[in-house]
Amino acid sequence: MQPLPPLSLATHSLPPLSLYLHIPWCVRKCPYCDFNSHKAGNSLPEAEYVAAVLEDLQQSLPLVQGRVLHSIFLGGGTPSLFSPTAIGDLLDAAEQHIGFANDIEITMEANPGTFEQDKFRDYRAAGINRLSIGIQSFSELHLQQLGRIHGAREALSAVDMARSAGFDNINLDLMHGLPQQTPIDAEQDLRTAIELGPQHISWYQLTIEPNTEFYSRPPTLPVDDALADIQQAGETLLGAHGYQQYEVSAYAQTNRQSRHNLNYWRFGDYLGLGAGAHGKITQPRQQRILRLNKTRLPDHYLDANKSFTAQQKAIAAEDLPLEFMMNVLRLVEGVDSNLWPARTGLPLHILNPMLQSLRNQKLLLDDNQRLATTALGQRYLNEVLATFM
């Protein structure tokens, strides 16, 4: 790639802004999990953590630059370990100090093992309007292998309780490619999820990540042919029941895509608050795009003598092609080509040699107005992205 020109970010066209709030505690750490989560003790420092997040919010306000929030995602960990009062305090502060779009989407991750009817009704009253329930499997065997704290019965009842609590926008998280899982097992998990009628299903393959228990003691996973059969059969089944794939591992009913995740994949901006949270912020006046990471350990995050921010770094211009493409090309429909200069401040023509090479290989759509992979390109997405390194 030729040397890149300076960024030319327009001050009048900031990306939409989202907020990610991280709650770093779980009842116990799952053996496959590489997220910043920590086993909860006998009691959680809920009040202290909320106070720290509110101070983190105050310090982050200059990054807002006059925008309102279009979505909020409370992830973890297990945010549903916190009380509705604590969650409400966080949301109230975000609305007071930043402001909400009229149709804001506010999602909270929840574990079926933490469901209580009254508690989730209070979450709904506090402002949560979308639930993402971490089911992973409906098989007792596979749930045990994954170290989950709930069983199949709790998984089924969690969806009923969520609806009774007033939630009409529900995502179910499911994994496939589990230890000893057959294609029939994986299909049964999906059928059970579909019968529950959620608006959104996140269906993704188990991968073994460093710094996890599974990495140090790897389980036996299905062979590649079985994984391919599971993927193909699952996509067909989901499509037949009205769940359209819009992202690598996300399937939604009509107009029920996760707006929070769409903002990520469209290279929008997001504040990250809480231990280990990440953020991305565009600063046109400084002609830069920042990546920010908050300190990971809860004890450090709660230490008034330590900074909330562990790292703040501008994305180098030469890294923007990969940073941008590894997001937008996850979307099945891709994005309008004009999003590249709008989000990065760089002209589209600098990408032309790489785009044309991918189009010649039938990995990218032959459409100058759109940046999107073909079906073949989605299958070999890692190879497509390597072109932009």
Side-chain angles (χ1 to χ4, degrees):
M1 184 184 296
Q2 297 295 319
L4 300 182
L7 272 60
S8 181
L9 293 161
T11 57
H12 66 277
S13 60
L14 279 164
L17 182 66
S18 294
L19 171 63
Y20 177 78
L21 288 166
H22 191 75
I23 311 294
W25 290 282
C26 285
V27 174
R28 69 176 177 225
K29 183 84 169 179
C30 295
Y32 58 85
C33 178
D34 68 336
F35 295 143
N36 184 36
S37 60
H38 306 266
K39 183 178 178 180
N42 295 328
S43 63
L44 291 174
E46 181 179 276
E48 295 89 341
Y49 192 76
V50 169
V53 172
L54 295 182
E55 178 59 29
D56 192 359
L57 170 63
Q58 287 285 343
Q59 294 183 21
S60 300
L61 290 179
L63 303 175
V64 173
Q65 302 169 91
R67 292 172 287 183
V68 297
L69 294 173
H70 290 267
S71 67
I72 298 175
F73 195 98
L74 290 96
T78 306
S80 50
L81 291 178
F82 270 32
S83 69
T85 299
I87 298 300
D89 288 345
L90 293 172
L91 296 181
D92 289 346
E95 183 173 23
Q96 176 185 350
H97 294 292
I98 302 177
F100 289 177
N102 291 333
D103 60 346
I104 188 171
E105 174 194 273
I106 305 178
T107 303
M108 184 174 74
E109 289 184 333
N111 188 317
T114 65
F115 261 76
E116 300 169 17
Q117 186 69 62
D118 291 343
K119 185 179 180 183
F120 277 80
R121 187 177 292 113
D122 290 342
Y123 286 136
R124 184 70 185 88
I128 304 295
N129 56 27
R130 183 175 182 270
L131 275 186
S132 182
I133 306 175
I135 287 175
Q136 313 312 350
S137 177
F138 293 97
S139 159
E140 296 288 358
L141 171 63
H142 294 131
L143 288 170
Q144 291 172 10
Q145 291 172 330
L146 292 173
R148 303 298 288 173
I149 66 170
H150 68 273
R153 181 177 299 178
E154 288 85 358
L156 294 169
S157 65
V159 180
D160 289 338
M161 283 194 283
R163 288 208 178 91
S164 296
F167 289 97
D168 60 1
N169 195 0
I170 297 172
N171 168 65
L172 301 185
D173 266 359
L174 283 180
M175 286 184 176
H176 61 87
L178 306 179
Q180 303 174 37
Q181 188 182 51
T182 67
I184 293 175
D185 294 334
E187 181 176 331
Q188 184 55 52
D189 267 352
L190 263 186
R191 287 192 181 277
T192 302
I194 289 167
E195 287 169 4
L196 292 170
Q199 287 68 42
H200 189 286
I201 296 176
S202 298
W203 187 60
Y204 49 94
Q205 183 180 323
L206 170 65
T207 56
I208 307 301
E209 302 290 350
N211 302 315
T212 65
E213 185 179 333
F214 274 179
Y215 188 80
S216 57
R217 296 189 297 107
T220 301
L221 302 182
V223 298
D224 287 347
D225 286 348
L227 291 172
D229 290 343
I230 289 171
Q231 187 72 40
Q232 183 175 3
E235 289 176 359
T236 300
L237 181 64
L238 287 159
H241 287 83
Y243 292 92
Q244 297 304 310
Q245 183 180 20
Y246 69 96
E247 187 262 333
V248 169
S249 58
Y251 303 77
Q253 295 176 347
T254 303
N255 297 324
R256 291 294 194 158
Q257 296 93 337
S258 166
R259 278 183 268 162
H260 188 83
N261 286 347
L262 282 176
N263 190 45
Y264 281 171
W265 308 140
R266 290 170 177 162
F267 215 54
D269 279 0
Y270 49 97
L271 290 173
L273 303 178
H278 290 221
K280 170 194 166 286
I281 297 294
T282 303
Q283 294 184 311
R285 295 188 185 281
Q286 293 90 341
Q287 290 298 308
R288 65 183 185 182
I289 301 171
L290 291 179
R291 292 280 189 197
L292 304 97
N293 304 337
K294 299 300 170 67
T295 186
R296 287 177 56 87
L297 294 178
D299 287 348
H300 290 181
Y301 187 81
L302 292 171
D303 187 341
N305 295 316
K306 294 182 180 295
S307 172
F308 293 123
T309 301
Q311 185 178 42
Q312 174 179 305
K313 184 178 180 181
I315 302 174
E318 58 268 24
D319 293 333
L320 279 169
L322 178 60
E323 289 266 354
F324 181 84
M325 292 298 177
M326 70 189 299
N327 284 278
V328 303
L329 294 185
R330 288 182 64 96
L331 295 170
V332 172
E333 66 172 13
V335 295
D336 188 297
S337 298
N338 290 324
L339 196 67
W340 163 261
R343 292 284 193 267
T344 67
L346 293 170
L348 184 63
H349 69 77
I350 67 172
L351 299 178
N352 282 344
M354 293 172 282
L355 298 178
Q356 193 55 54
S357 173
L358 291 169
R359 288 170 179 146
N360 292 342
Q361 299 173 68
K362 310 299 183 185
L363 297 172
L364 213 63
L365 289 185
D366 192 9
D367 182 351
N368 291 329
Q369 306 305 312
R370 190 142 208 89
L371 299 171
T373 62
T374 61
L376 181 65
Q378 274 289 311
R379 193 182 312 164
Y380 295 102
L381 186 56
N382 287 339
E383 287 80 357
V384 171
L385 295 176
T387 304
F388 300 98
M389 290 181 178

